[in-house]
Amino acid sequence: MITRNQASLVQLACNRKVTILLSFQFILCQGIMTSSRHTNSKRIEGLDKNVWVAFTSVAADPTIVNLGQGFPDIPPPAYVKEGLANAAAVDKLNQYTRGFGHPALVKALSQVYGKVYGQQIDPFKEILVTVGGYGSLFSAMQGLVEVGDEVIIIEPFFDCYVPMVRMAGAKPILIPLRVKTNIVSSADWVLDPAELASKFTSKTKAIIINTPNNPIGKIFTRDELQMIADLCIKHDTLCISDEVYEWLIYKGHQHIKIATLPGMWDRTITISSAGKTFSVTGWKLGWSIGPEHLIKHLQTVMQNTLYTCPTPLQEAVAQGLLRDYELMGQPDCYFSSLAVELEGKRDRMAAILQDVGMSPIIPEGGYFMCVDVTSLNQDLSHMGDDEPYDYKFVKWMIKEKKLAAIPVTAFCGDASKKQFEKYIRLCFIKKDSTLDAAEAILKNWNS
Amino acid sequence: WKLFDVSWSTIHCKLISYILIMSRQLHARRIEGVDKNIWVEFTQLAADYQVVNLGQGFPDFSPPSYIQEAFCKAVNGGCSMHQYTRAFGHPPLVTILAKFFSKVVGHDIDAFEDILVTVGAYQALFCTFQALVNEGDEVIIIEPFFDCYQPMVKMAGGKAVYVPLRPVRGKALTSADWVLSSEELASKFNSRTKAIVINTPNNPLGKVYKREELQLIADLCIKHDVVCISDEVYEWLTYDGAKHVKIASLPGMWERTVTIGSGGKTFSATGWKVGWAIGAGHILKHLKTVHQNSVYHCATAAQEAVAVGFQREYEHFGTPESYFLQLPERLQHKREKLAACLESVGLQPVLPEGGYFMIADISSVKVDLNDPSTQGEPYDYRFVKWLIKEKGLATIPVSAFYSPEHSKDFENYIRFCFVKEDSTLSSAEAILRNWSNGK
């Protein structure tokens, strides 16, 4: 690490040789000491890579048609924006609110979910407001998952589950959804019951489920959830149910909360997101709902991590929820009207892909669609061998075709990469002009 | 009959499940011993009783109008204001923070490498401890300390090592009279010391560390190769011409310091929860790893508004239009008002050189604390609760800011927040006068 320049300095200054030598040694030692001692803590070892950090900056280029990261480019409903502007105009709503959730918000959540669950939900003891669904996942892991525990994760999974489990010092146990021969819809991806049962051991602390699933769009049926519930009860494990896309359910399907199955309320944390519910991902508000004896541990994590979420945003979400609560079951309710709007986009996206010879997996819910790109026959051997095919494909497609997607192997473990490496994920909660632009790129693929 | 069968099996299932659930340890060990929290306890109390609230540290006046306007503008801005922004900090915000603080620190700060935006300074502290502290590492905490440092160190598996500020004998009239013993401080450093946490201006005392005091700490950090975590959320609030010095600007310190700041305290908008950590990239990258695995993004619109606020302050820096000059001027007057009031009723305030708070010695006050619900609690906790319930005035007990080892020595102080409208301070004054007059 001694550069030529630094060595020359030492040579030149004869009468201040000692001082410079000492200073130089000091700087050198600083450099060595800095790099060897101030390293990361063990808990985050190997957790620095992240698919979003890798792909979102690339897609920030405005010339790229971005069907990658999951956020709308359509505006949120006007009353939601107004709610925020109104909240920010009230002095005390610019100051700290209750740590575990702004009272107006937890009360509104208690009303809405009380209706959905068909039971009373205590706003102060059975709800925690967090920084997005992400923050709820983190609070649940940190609060409930111990070093040495095992946590079952179903592939493909929202990518943060594995690093969060690892950061809690636990071991992720992966089980893939497997597909029958003709893949038409996300319903064709199912768990093998015997395989699932084999994953439960005495070390299993929890299973994470995500319904509707990101990236596939699968909605777990009542029977599938019952199978999981039976195992949870048999092995006395917890269930962390990520239901951020709970309202984005397409015709002919029903979202079922595993927490409503017999014996499951007491062992389930259910996670939701204001960002996904109201098309405001940039508000970063979510919540966990569950029994007091579990939620209290998430609250402990909250009070030792960020203490409270932003006040005006919580107030605005509360107002939005109350408005839609009154309309629940009616077509005007945003929870249903958004799903209707997105179903149209889903169908359009599917048609675009089918028209160019690809086979999309039609999602039953959520706002993503996965598609097998094999039929495009894109030769990427020039890109080397160190990444799965889908990573190479997406990087190539962003660069050459100006269309961004997300590689599906980002959502699975190493052992399953071969199973998923021909799939890419497209987000369709985009305005028509964005979908038009994507269509144009795909139609002109071979030109 | 069939219906009854179904109901019974549901009840049976629920019962078995409940019994099973209760028979295994649910919570992770990392949260053991960190479940109590004074804010949760005392904000609830203040909410339950109709109080004049000089307890929790937030202003009861509004943020400056230009920043409220900036927030409104962001809310009514394009679609992107309501969707995810860059995970480690909204580009306009990190850019202006880098520009602004490069000037203050005297070092070229890279907006994308050296800054992480967090959900309040609180989350910046969390990221720092989680990123750097391993099981068994020691972290030096100077007492009195903002209470969250201790549970955060504990949750990261670290061991807190305490060194107290002590009032110079015979003085203790201002926070400047509370000092560290250099020998005592030096004795706390050893090969297991990973970091030291300093807070200047200090909460609850209001001490603003002088350059020589920071140099003492810096010398030890360099000698023992320790990271300095510098909580500077009240950096703009100094009084009587006291100067806030950034330890990161001392020689040899930039590469080993994480400096934490708060949009909430800077712009009197604590409910926005926008904070940041600034430091050398090789350390900040580890905080980013924690951040991307815990919350990942912070709210976009609030970051946009804080960016606009800093841009305006950059343009008005050092001029009378600067909020960073106007606010401390306003607060200086409130500080005098409260101090005078406390003295006049026989409480002995410690005049703070900076920050939001003033502590006062309650030794001379004799009260019959016969509330059975507070039996066994430290004296200042009992006193504060009595003051809330009987007099309708909320404060915070200062022993909450001390380690278990030393808290017994500081049960005779309570903390007042004076960042309140004059009318609030006058109401507090009325309560105290009535009480002292025996009403």
Side-chain angles (χ1 to χ4, degrees):
Chain A
M1 274 197 270
I2 304 172
T3 68
R4 189 177 281 274
N5 283 339
Q6 287 163 328
S8 319
L9 257 177
V10 170
Q11 272 174 355
L12 282 169
C14 299
N15 51 345
R16 288 192 292 164
K17 203 192 236 176
V18 172
T19 317
I20 289 178
L21 193 62
L22 283 174
S23 308
F24 174 69
Q25 276 180 335
F26 178 78
I27 293 165
L28 188 63
C29 283
Q30 273 280 286
I32 292 172
M33 289 197 316
T34 309
S35 59
S36 67
R37 239 204 110 184
H38 303 154
T39 53
N40 51 281
S41 61
K42 293 195 187 66
R43 70 181 59 80
I44 57 170
E45 187 62 43
L47 304 187
D48 49 318
K49 297 276 172 291
N50 178 289
V51 68
W52 310 110
V53 175
F55 284 97
T56 53
S57 55
V58 171
D61 176 345
T63 64
I64 292 175
V65 178
N66 192 357
L67 302 191
Q69 195 183 6
F71 61 85
D73 64 2
I74 52 181
Y79 64 86
V80 164
K81 283 180 27 168
E82 272 156 35
L84 183 54
N86 293 340
V90 177
D91 276 356
K92 71 173 190 176
L93 294 179
N94 287 298
Q95 308 303 336
Y96 293 130
T97 184
R98 176 178 170 267
F100 304 143
H102 185 51
L105 177 55
V106 294
K107 286 177 189 163
L109 288 169
S110 167
Q111 260 188 285
V112 170
Y113 287 96
K115 192 171 185 173
V116 171
Y117 279 73
Q119 70 183 66
Q120 291 248 35
I121 296 179
D122 185 317
F124 301 107
K125 299 191 174 143
E126 295 177 332
I127 301 180
L128 173 67
V129 175
T130 55
V131 177
Y134 217 96
S136 272
L137 287 160
F138 183 72
S139 300
M141 302 286 187
Q142 290 285 307
L144 301 172
V145 175
E146 186 57 76
V147 174
D149 280 350
E150 290 177 1
V151 177
I152 299 172
I153 297 172
I154 300 169
E155 297 174 295
F157 52 87
F158 181 54
D159 72 297
C160 80
Y161 302 162
V162 161
M164 283 193 186
V165 166
R166 288 176 55 198
M167 194 168 153
K171 187 174 170 202
I173 302 291
L174 305 180
I175 173 172
L177 287 168
R178 293 186 187 284
V179 71
K180 304 170 208 167
T181 42
N182 285 333
I183 311 154
V184 174
S185 103
S186 53
D188 298 313
W189 291 74
V190 295
L191 287 170
D192 176 321
E195 190 180 9
L196 179 63
S198 75
K199 302 291 183 182
F200 282 76
T201 71
S202 59
K203 291 203 169 89
T204 310
K205 187 67 184 275
I207 178 169
I208 305 175
I209 67 169
N210 175 216
T211 179
N213 167 277
N214 173 6
I216 297 273
K218 176 185 178 62
I219 296 180
F220 284 72
T221 63
R222 185 174 289 276
D223 288 342
E224 288 172 315
L225 293 175
Q226 190 60 63
M227 171 177 71
I228 295 168
D230 290 342
L231 286 161
C232 286
I233 292 168
K234 178 176 174 186
H235 295 273
D236 191 24
T237 69
L238 301 176
C239 179
I240 298 172
S241 186
D242 175 353
E243 301 180 15
V244 295
Y245 302 103
E246 61 190 304
W247 306 112
L248 304 182
I249 311 296
Y250 304 124
K251 266 202 295 293
H253 307 289
Q254 196 196 357
H255 174 68
I256 294 166
K257 289 186 166 298
I258 195 170
T260 58
L261 269 52
M264 289 306 287
W265 167 258
D266 289 312
R267 58 181 66 252
T268 306
I269 296 284
T270 305
I271 293 170
S272 301
S273 157
K276 304 293 194 284
T277 297
F278 288 114
S279 306
V280 285
T281 60
W283 287 27
K284 286 294 294 192
L285 279 176
W287 44 86
S288 294
I289 295 183
E292 182 183 355
H293 60 261
L294 294 180
I295 291 287
K296 72 181 183 187
H297 299 309
L298 278 69
Q299 289 176 336
T300 298
V301 173
M302 182 70 174
Q303 81 195 22
N304 290 300
T305 53
L306 50 98
Y307 182 64
T308 183
C309 292
T311 315
L313 295 168
Q314 292 189 69
E315 175 71 26
V317 173
Q319 296 309 319
L321 285 168
L322 289 173
R323 184 255 190 208
D324 283 299
Y325 174 77
E326 296 303 325
L327 296 169
M328 265 168 97
Q330 296 171 41
D332 269 356
C333 177
Y334 191 70
F335 305 159
S336 350
S337 67
L338 180 62
V340 167
E341 188 186 348
L342 287 184
E343 186 158 347
K345 292 182 189 289
R346 177 196 73 164
D347 295 343
R348 177 153 182 227
M349 186 83 245
I352 292 171
L353 295 168
Q354 283 155 349
D355 281 350
V356 299
M358 289 202 269
S359 310
I361 305 167
I362 312 295
E364 299 152 271
Y367 52 55
F368 303 108
M369 183 176 293
C370 291
V371 64
D372 185 333
V373 299
T374 308
S375 64
L376 292 176
N377 285 319
Q378 201 57 51
D379 178 12
L380 299 173
S381 45
H382 65 283
M383 289 177 79
D385 255 332
D386 56 343
E387 278 184 319
Y389 182 84
D390 56 346
Y391 268 74
K392 293 193 287 199
F393 184 89
V394 167
K395 286 180 179 172
W396 173 87
M397 186 170 72
I398 290 173
K399 189 165 172 237
E400 301 299 331
K401 299 293 179 185
K402 300 280 196 197
L403 177 63
I406 297 290
V408 171
T409 59
F411 303 96
C412 71
D414 289 338
S416 301
K417 286 211 189 305
K418 280 269 165 272
Q419 188 186 341
F420 293 101
E421 73 171 337
K422 286 301 175 65
Y423 291 93
I424 64 173
R425 185 195 83 169
L426 299 161
C427 172
F428 55 85
I429 185 166
K430 303 290 176 185
K431 51 188 195 262
D432 287 343
S433 54
T434 309
L435 297 178
D436 291 342
E439 183 173 22
I441 291 170
L442 288 163
K443 281 203 148 87
N444 292 326
W445 194 265
N446 289 315
S447 56
Chain B
W1 191 242
K2 198 171 181 196
L3 202 63
F4 180 78
D5 259 352
V6 167
S7 304
W8 174 246
S9 88
T10 306
I11 294 166
H12 187 244
C13 216
K14 213 170 157 58
L15 196 64
I16 295 293
S17 166
Y18 189 74
I19 291 169
L20 279 176
I21 277 270
M22 300 328 282
S23 69
R24 66 186 269 173
Q25 164 133 329
L26 290 170
H27 63 272
R29 279 195 301 274
R30 71 180 65 80
I31 60 165
E32 262 162 26
V34 300
D35 49 316
K36 297 272 172 292
N37 180 286
I38 47 155
W39 308 111
V40 173
E41 193 182 358
F42 283 92
T43 53
Q44 189 58 56
L45 259 180
D48 290 343
Y49 292 81
Q50 288 298 321
V51 294
V52 173
N53 195 351
L54 302 194
Q56 194 184 7
F58 59 85
D60 65 359
F61 48 79
S62 60
S65 55
Y66 72 82
I67 206 141
Q68 285 188 293
E69 276 153 32
F71 191 79
C72 269
K73 195 152 176 250
V75 170
N76 292 316
C79 222
S80 62
M81 281 293 122
H82 298 281
Q83 307 307 332
Y84 294 130
T85 182
R86 176 177 168 270
F88 303 136
H90 188 49
L93 178 55
V94 295
T95 304
I96 188 61
L97 286 174
K99 195 169 160 188
F100 193 100
F101 285 104
S102 289
K103 273 199 141 149
V104 178
V105 172
H107 177 99
D108 247 325
I109 299 173
D110 184 314
F112 298 99
E113 298 299 317
D114 300 341
I115 303 182
L116 173 66
V117 175
T118 54
V119 181
Y122 214 96
Q123 196 226 334
L125 287 161
F126 177 73
C127 285
T128 309
F129 290 118
Q130 288 282 311
L132 301 176
V133 175
N134 275 317
E135 191 85 31
D137 281 348
E138 290 185 10
V139 178
I140 298 172
I141 298 177
I142 299 173
E143 303 181 283
F145 56 90
F146 180 54
D147 71 295
C148 80
Y149 305 158
Q150 179 265 332
M152 285 190 184
V153 166
K154 189 168 200 298
M155 200 169 148
K159 180 177 173 222
V161 171
Y162 301 97
V163 55
L165 288 163
R166 287 204 178 78
V168 169
R169 193 184 288 279
K171 298 179 96 191
L173 297 173
T174 91
S175 57
D177 301 315
W178 290 62
V179 295
L180 287 170
S181 144
S182 48
E183 293 81 35
E184 192 177 10
L185 178 63
S187 75
K188 304 291 179 177
F189 283 76
N190 60 46
S191 59
R192 289 182 304 279
T193 310
K194 189 65 188 274
I196 177 169
V197 189
I198 68 170
N199 174 217
T200 178
N202 168 276
N203 172 7
L205 199 51
K207 178 181 177 65
V208 173
Y209 286 70
K210 298 185 180 42
R211 185 173 289 273
E212 310 83 74
E213 290 172 309
L214 295 174
Q215 191 60 65
L216 185 76
I217 295 168
D219 290 344
L220 287 161
C221 285
I222 292 168
K223 178 178 174 184
H224 295 274
D225 192 23
V226 159
V227 168
C228 179
I229 303 169
S230 187
D231 175 353
E232 301 182 14
V233 297
Y234 303 106
E235 61 187 304
W236 305 111
L237 304 181
T238 59
Y239 313 116
D240 298 332
K243 198 168 179 306
H244 173 70
V245 178
K246 286 184 166 300
I247 196 169
S249 65
L250 269 52
M253 289 306 285
W254 165 256
E255 51 263 39
R256 59 179 65 256
T257 305
V258 177
T259 304
I260 290 170
S262 158
K265 302 293 193 295
T266 296
F267 293 110
S268 306
T270 60
W272 290 13
K273 293 292 290 185
V274 175
W276 49 84
I278 298 181
H282 67 263
I283 297 182
L284 259 287
K285 71 182 185 191
H286 302 312
L287 276 68
K288 287 175 180 172
T289 301
V290 175
H291 182 77
Q292 85 194 24
N293 289 301
S294 57
V295 308
Y296 190 37
H297 294 92
C298 302
T300 311
Q303 291 188 67
E304 175 73 17
V306 173
V308 169
F310 264 102
Q311 186 58 47
R312 188 232 186 238
E313 289 303 316
Y314 184 81
E315 283 151 24
H316 290 98
F317 194 70
T319 74
E321 281 76 37
S322 163
Y323 189 67
F324 298 170
L325 290 180
Q326 290 169 349
L327 184 60
E329 245 170 60
R330 235 169 119 189
L331 295 186
Q332 167 119 19
H333 143 77
K334 291 176 192 293
R335 183 193 74 152
E336 315 316 4
K337 185 177 160 74
L338 182 64
C341 160
L342 294 177
E343 270 163 18
S344 72
V345 299
L347 294 173
Q348 289 158 311
V350 175
L351 204 65
E353 298 155 275
Y356 264 21
F357 309 106
M358 179 179 304
I359 72 172
D361 188 335
I362 53 175
S363 308
S364 60
V365 177
K366 295 289 167 264
V367 180
D368 185 14
L369 298 174
N370 60 357
D371 183 349
S373 74
T374 65
Q375 201 71 39
E377 287 181 6
Y379 180 76
D380 54 347
Y381 274 67
R382 304 192 70 202
F383 185 90
V384 165
K385 288 180 183 179
W386 176 88
L387 202 58
I388 288 174
K389 294 175 187 175
E390 301 301 325
K391 299 293 172 187
L393 177 63
T395 58
I396 298 288
V398 168
S399 68
F401 301 95
Y402 276 88
S403 62
E405 294 95 278
H406 300 135
S407 60
K408 283 253 165 297
D409 300 333
F410 295 94
E411 286 180 19
N412 53 316
Y413 290 98
I414 64 177
R415 186 194 83 169
F416 294 81
C417 174
F418 54 86
V419 184
K420 305 288 177 185
E421 293 276 32
D422 282 351
S423 54
T424 310
L425 296 174
S426 298
S427 302
E429 198 168 340
I431 289 172
L432 290 167
R433 284 202 194 294
N434 285 340
W435 175 28
S436 123
N437 293 339
K439 290 192 190 125

